[in-house]
């Protein structure tokens, strides 16, 4: 891009996306905007906070499902460690529960990846003015879906069970008794309206509760 197209003060953007081709394409397209500069790119959630502290972006674009720390957990970390950095969650999966968790983590916006880059660039500018930017269809879906019925501990137990771990394994990981784990699993199965913990994990993920 010709240097004279740049504004005097470019918006500094950190981009976290695990798919290299997607990350590169998005960085290239955003870089074509005269007032946006992608100053850091990472493909792992655990690298987000360090990159933000090093490069001091104005806005962090975070995918949710990343290796290591999720984009939602990273958003909460950025809120504490880099409070001047505004966070936009950008994801393929427009799940209602994800939106609620993103807002709770302090994100300034939540967008799905299939929108045009011009809208993304406009959203980056908007969050810097203090606006909250949310995909309208996703906002409507989140309202109709209602809040997450699972407690934090029920979510912990479902996550620990997701890889097929036994009740004993889950109890050991979470420092709980086996009977307590069974109680949490039973409650989660009931609240998700499913027949077993495998279905409960699937249903909770589909809603974005995990």
């Amino acid at each position: 891009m010709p240097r004279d197209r740049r504004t005097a003060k470019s918006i500094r953007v950190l981009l976290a996306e695990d798919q290299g081709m997607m990350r590169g394409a998005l960085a290239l397209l955003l870089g074509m905007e005269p007032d946006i500069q992608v100053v850091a790119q990472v493909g792992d959630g655990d690298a987000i906070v360090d990159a933000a502290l090093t490069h001091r972006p104005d806005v962090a674009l975070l995918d949710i499902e990343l290796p290591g720390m999720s984009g939602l957990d990273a958003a909460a970390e950025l809120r504490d460690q880099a409070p001047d950095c505004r966070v936009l969650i950008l994801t393929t999966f427009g799940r209602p529960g994800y939106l609620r968790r993103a807002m709770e983590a302090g994100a300034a916006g939540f967008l799905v990846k299939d929108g045009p880059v011009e809208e993304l660039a406009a959203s980056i500018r908007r969050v810097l003015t203090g606006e909250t930017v949310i995909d309208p269809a996703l906002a409507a879906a989140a309202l109709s879906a209602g809040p997450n019925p699972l407690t934090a501990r029920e979510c912990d137990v479902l996550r620990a069970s997701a890889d097929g771990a036994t009740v004993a394994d889950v109890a050991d990981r979470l420092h709980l008794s086996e009977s307590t784990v069974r109680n949490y699993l039973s409650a989660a199965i009931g609240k998700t309206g499913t027949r077993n913990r495998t279905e409960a994990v699937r249903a909770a993920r589909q809603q974005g509760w995990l």
Side-chain angles (χ1 to χ4, degrees):
M1 177 184 304
R3 185 177 296 275
D4 60 5
R5 286 196 60 206
R6 287 280 177 203
T7 59
K9 174 82 167 70
S10 292
I11 301 169
R12 297 170 61 81
V13 172
L14 179 153
L15 178 58
E17 161 64 55
D18 64 327
Q19 297 182 29
M21 186 175 295
M22 170 73 76
R23 184 171 67 246
L26 194 53
L28 180 64
L29 290 170
L30 287 174
M32 296 174 67
E33 297 291 320
D35 59 342
I36 294 176
Q37 180 183 8
V38 178
V39 296
Q41 300 180 46
V42 299
D44 188 299
D46 293 337
I48 291 172
V49 174
D50 285 344
L53 294 176
T54 299
H55 297 280
R56 296 295 176 181
D58 301 302
V59 177
L61 294 180
L62 308 182
D63 190 11
I64 289 181
E65 299 192 356
L66 295 166
M69 183 183 296
S70 75
L72 296 174
D73 290 335
E77 290 284 325
L78 289 176
R79 178 186 55 196
D80 296 333
Q81 299 194 43
D84 292 335
C85 178
R86 302 281 280 170
V87 172
L88 264 174
I89 299 294
L90 189 64
T91 184
T92 303
F93 306 101
R95 295 169 179 163
Y98 279 169
L99 173 57
R100 290 180 180 274
R101 290 169 60 196
M103 297 300 102
E104 289 170 359
F110 194 107
L111 302 171
V112 291
K113 290 181 182 178
D114 58 3
V117 72
E118 292 83 7
E119 287 186 11
L120 176 58
S123 296
I124 290 171
R125 299 180 188 106
R126 288 171 61 190
V127 298
L128 277 184
T129 69
E131 288 188 56
T132 298
V133 181
I134 300 173
D135 179 85
L138 185 57
L143 286 173
S144 64
N148 178 3
L150 302 174
T151 66
R153 211 52 169 151
E154 288 163 0
C155 288
D156 289 341
V157 169
L158 284 181
R159 287 191 192 95
S161 303
D163 61 357
T166 65
V167 168
D169 290 335
V170 174
D172 185 58
R173 290 177 189 176
L174 299 180
H175 307 290
L176 298 170
S177 69
E178 292 186 26
S179 62
T180 299
V181 169
R182 290 191 183 92
N183 288 339
Y184 281 133
L185 285 172
S186 177
I189 291 167
K191 289 178 180 179
T192 54
T194 53
R195 295 174 298 179
N196 53 55
R197 62 176 175 164
T198 300
E199 290 184 2
V201 168
R202 185 183 305 118
R205 282 180 167 170
Q206 287 172 346
Q207 289 295 325
W209 296 333
L210 298 184

